[in-house]
Amino acid sequence: MRSKATSTRTKLLLVAEDDEAIATLVCDALKAGGFRTHWARDGIDALNYILESRPDGIVLDLVMPRLNGFEICGMVRKSRAVQWTPIIMMSGRTEHCDKMQAFELGADDYVSKPFRVEELIARVEAVMHRNAERNYPTPFASSYNN
């Protein structure tokens, strides 16, 4: 049986965050937790990376340029190729309606900013563990639900 640290080492997480300081903090913390990371600065870059590279999980800021986190989450959940990808939404928007909208669109978790890095890592690990059995690759040509 592989340890949790060993099993997460090969996991690639997209960090979609427009604030470079927060992105660096999150990426460094995830790397220290044994994950590989890729950073996207805006929604279009994030969505393109998700569809092309199919990361194992997504840490998704709600407020970003070009496409916001709600839009990205909704598009990911409609794409057969990546619809099961775990999504951890993070935002400074702490209103109940924002959290509910994220969950209704299919987010697996919601982390409010400011956050403790240890809590973010624990939530990412929990979501990744819960979704470990879900790996349903679909050919790209049939990846979008109409």
Side-chain angles (χ1 to χ4, degrees), residues 115-141:
F115 54 84
R116 292 188 179 268
V117 173
E118 301 85 2
E119 179 183 353
L120 175 66
I121 299 303
R123 287 174 178 262
V124 168
E125 288 176 345
V127 166
M128 297 300 291
H129 177 73
R130 282 194 304 271
N131 287 281
E133 298 302 315
R134 288 186 175 170
N135 188 7
Y136 308 120
T138 304
F140 185 77

Side-chain angles (χ1 to χ4, degrees), residues 4 9 21 23 30 34 62 66 76 82-83 91 101 109 118 130 132 143-144:
K4 183 167 41 171
R9 275 198 192 103
L30 289 169
L62 179 58
R66 302 202 306 163
V76 167
V82 293
Q83 70 185 17
S91 179
Q101 184 175 357
D109 204 347
E118 301 85 2
R130 282 194 304 271
S143 68
Y144 196 77

Side-chain angles (χ1 to χ4, degrees), residues 38-56:
H38 177 84
W39 173 38
R41 297 172 190 253
D42 68 58
I44 297 289
D45 291 344
L47 187 61
N48 286 335
Y49 185 81
I50 293 164
L51 294 173
E52 292 170 8
S53 301
R54 299 185 187 185
D56 298 298

Side-chain angles (χ1 to χ4, degrees), residues 66-101:
R66 302 202 306 163
L67 281 177
N68 67 43
F70 290 141
E71 293 167 319
I72 295 168
C73 186
M75 290 177 191
V76 167
R77 292 301 180 236
K78 289 179 183 174
S79 171
R80 288 186 187 139
V82 293
Q83 70 185 17
W84 297 111
T85 306
I87 299 173
I88 299 94
M89 190 82 72
M90 62 181 182
S91 179
R93 294 172 63 174
T94 59
E95 295 295 319
H96 178 74
C97 61
D98 293 320
K99 292 177 183 180
M100 291 307 300
Q101 184 175 357

